[in-house]
Amino acid sequence: PFPASDQNLPSPDCVHSEASAVPPSSEHLEPVSCPASLSITPLPTLSASQETLCDSTVKDVNVLLERERSEGISSPSRDDDSTLLNPGTHSSILEDNTKSESGLPEGRSKSCGLCFSDGKCRIDYILVYRKSSSQSEKREIFERNIRAEGLQMEKEASVTNSDVIFLKLHAPWDVLCRYAELMNIRMPFRRKIFYMHRRHKFMSRMEKRINKFRGWLPRKPMKFDNDTLPDLEENESFTAPFSRSRIHHFIIHNKDTFFNNATRSRIVHHILQRVKYEEGKNKMGLNRLLSNNSYEAAFPLHEGRYHSKNSIRTHGAENHRHLLYECWAWWGVWYKYQPLDLIRRYFGEKIGLYFAWLGWYTGMLFPAALVGLFVFLYGLFTLEHCQVSKEICQATDIIMCPICDQYCPYLRLSDSCIYAKVTHLFDNGATVFFAVFMAVWATVFLEFWKRRRAVLAYDWDLIDWEEEEEEIRPQFEAKYSKKERMNPISGKPEPYQAFTDKYSRLVVSTSGIFFMILVVIAAVFGIVIYRVITVSTFAAFGWALIRNNSQVATTGTAVCINFCVIMLLNVLYEKVALLLTNLEQPRTESEWENSFTLKMFLFQFVNLNSSTFYIAFFLGRFTGRPGAYLRLINRWKLEECHPSGCLIDLCMQMGIIMVLKQTWNNFMELGYPLIQNWWTRRRLRREHGQKAKAGFPQWERDYNLQPMNAYGLFDEYLEMILQFGFTTIFVAAFPLAPLLALLNNIIEIRLDAYKFVTQWRRPLPSQAKDIGIWYGILEGIGILSVITNAFVIAVTSDFIPRLVYAYKYGPCAGQGRAGEGCMMGYVNASLSVFQVNDFEKRSQPRTTGSELIGEAVKYCRYRDYREPPDSAEPYSYTLQFWHVLAARLAFIIVFEHMVFAIKTLIAYLIPDLPKDLRDRMRREKYLIQEMMYEAELERLQKERNEKKKKKDRAHHKEWP
């Protein structure tokens, strides 16, 4: 039942020298025994008195202290370097660290860095503290109670700083078994047997021919070669909750490897979270000691180095970390699938699920990126046949009104030729199809992820896993310790928060959220004012390139400034979200995480997309008309769209923000830890020589790495969820967004992998059944994307006005068809006429436009559907305007209902659990019951036979 990697890798309990250790060859699949230099030493056997001490654990500090007082035991301070716990005898003297020539303690080279100094006991957890800390009394009680729980410990001073002390913890076999049973940890007890369904002879012949044809094809390059890397696949086995009374049911080849490193660390952390450090009902747990600086750090060890001089294909992997680096975190395998089972085995199910979700999301982006690229290429290939672009490029006699007050000149419509062609690349006949496709894609992505998650939950034994009853947060406990009520689950008294207090805090927190949203709106308002002022400044700029492209320059600089404001506000939002979440006083850590996650997502989503919403739905919509402009604070004229439309501004906003944010996130994720670790290595080389760090023990090397984020996987999920929003919400305006997201995610997977394997301390392996609150956020984004894309197509793009013109006002009106030939005259029909003499005084251009047509301009055109100045009702809306408005509203209603109906139908048709998985689960449940029943019958039969033998033996003695 053990993974192949556990069989082929050297045991961490082996005492070895790296120079003499020969990794196993990857060509052999049999278990490899340690060579002469690799001697496996079993864990020390506990005596009867020690077993009694482990079984009769004293948890209460008062009882422990009273026993010590009655026996007259004086407990020396455990922070003193002269004392440490010997794993074999529960007390010993810390040997003085004799420095060798390399500057490291003697005997360090004989240990692999993953064991105690005796080379036998594996290090399962590391606690780090400083001798100068003032919390020595709490640590002393905490460590005595750790010992009472049966854990073995050893202290060692840091090589680089004598004030830093490493406390190494080891869980013996009986402690692991006891807590594995308490925690209901599922362990393998019988190999799975897969039964092939009976096939018809015709199907069997077809399968043989298909397999023969596949043999001629090259192997799949994205899959790992199991012959070269045999450590990637685990032997699938049936599992059951571990039980000491039924330990004979579990196949235990080696006690040292039965519980893998991740499980051992999780058990030790579970113990540390329930050990008391002070008198009092709730004075317990490692987290509280970390928060009050009794301990500086706590982490499980990485399994050795992640790189080797020898190739993994010829010499095999030295450890799981090395294997992960070579087959996952190394950039050379960017095109291969992720080894999810190995990730889960090393980092735990929670991190494994994140990378499974990220890989699934990246894989699902392939069809979206291909269709988006097809839409873009369709626009590119039909560019020369686009009637609207042709008319704009040929409209040299159409003079457009100035887009700003005074400084902006008159322009020919043909000057917008390039922008009209670029707009056609994104706004063409395939855009509506792509918007519907992406709405359906989002639903399919979420529905199939549920199926994928179910398969992973089955493979990783998470189907029946339930979260433990969580501990109350210390802050909640301190605030409401005076009022208690009975917990309905545990039956124990616990602090209670009154209904009025809880909801008054929620009201204040909600008010704070709305206030911060108003701050975002104020920031967007500032960007709008900047755009209004700058467009006039750029129009009067001395450089001709800027002056001729004043609107594009305004948009580009505004987007860059907006990005800087977004990044600055994100820092503020994190502090505000922390303040508001702590103000709510959540009861447990999961409630705190969910509340904080929701606030941070809401803040960052609004912050990131507020300017995009402004450009998509408000820019150029409420500007008025020439001669009667609507003004901001009765001073600044609101910004107008480009003569070729507003979609080009939305494309620039999305493209720049998406590229800049992804680049910045990737730098902060990998660049910042790399710089910090490089600086630490440089300092160590300067203080201890060039080769000193190479001889550091594993706990010293891990301590010098960066700790995982305080919020766990929050930053990783938030980055991807925001990207998912960018990919779906405004995808109708920017079809290349899925392609950019795909390219980023291919890099992101390897960046995160490299960061977890090489730059961060090993996080505590933890379990989870799904991605938590993020799934609900994804569903909300999917619904919002349908609404926004409907409005983008109907309001922002020119799809509806062109459709109305083709069927109602164009050359093909009444014929029931709408091709490019039906669009002749559309540009002229979409522009209204304005008499220059009707300009307001403050809007009067400084130029007369004589440089364009040789005489002063009398009439100019602008984008709107209004009557000419010489009509009975000058500048009033035409009938075409109302037709277009009605068509837009009708399209929004029809589009939303149609897409929501398709989404609901797809969600209904796709079951959450695959049929074959449901059958496998039912069969496995049946087989497990049969196996347990047979095993019990076997045991009873053996007992009956033994009793019969004893009875026969006794009867034989009676008759000589």
Side-chain angles (χ1 to χ4, degrees), residues 527 531 555-567 570 604-613 615 649-665 719 722-723 725-726 730 734 737 740 744:
I527 297 295
R531 294 171 69 107
T555 302
T557 55
V559 171
C560 293
I561 294 174
N562 185 34
F563 173 75
C564 296
V565 172
I566 287 171
M567 302 312 295
N570 281 346
Q604 295 216 17
F605 179 81
V606 173
N607 187 29
L608 189 65
N609 293 283
S610 54
S611 295
T612 311
F613 271 90
I615 293 174
D649 296 301
L650 185 58
C651 291
M652 287 182 62
Q653 173 81 11
M654 291 190 63
I656 294 175
I657 291 292
M658 197 169 185
V659 171
L660 287 179
K661 184 161 181 62
Q662 289 179 349
T663 304
W664 174 261
N665 286 340
E719 178 187 356
L722 291 175
Q723 184 206 81
F726 248 86
F730 294 104
F734 192 57
L740 292 179
N744 174 79

Side-chain angles (χ1 to χ4, degrees), residues 269-270 273-274 282 284 287-288 350 465-474 476-477 487-495 586-595 766-767:
H269 182 78
H270 177 87
Q273 289 296 90
R274 286 153 181 79
N282 294 300
M284 65 173 65
N287 287 345
R288 290 179 172 89
K350 194 170 187 178
W465 178 80
E466 295 293 340
E467 291 189 33
E468 301 175 359
E469 176 66 16
E470 286 191 271
E471 294 182 2
I472 298 174
R473 296 177 65 246
F476 182 90
E477 180 185 358
N487 187 306
I489 298 175
S490 63
K492 298 179 181 178
E494 65 177 17
R587 178 178 170 273
T588 62
E589 286 296 333
S590 63
E591 291 178 6
W592 189 95
E593 287 179 6
N594 289 340
S595 178
S766 56
Q767 289 185 307

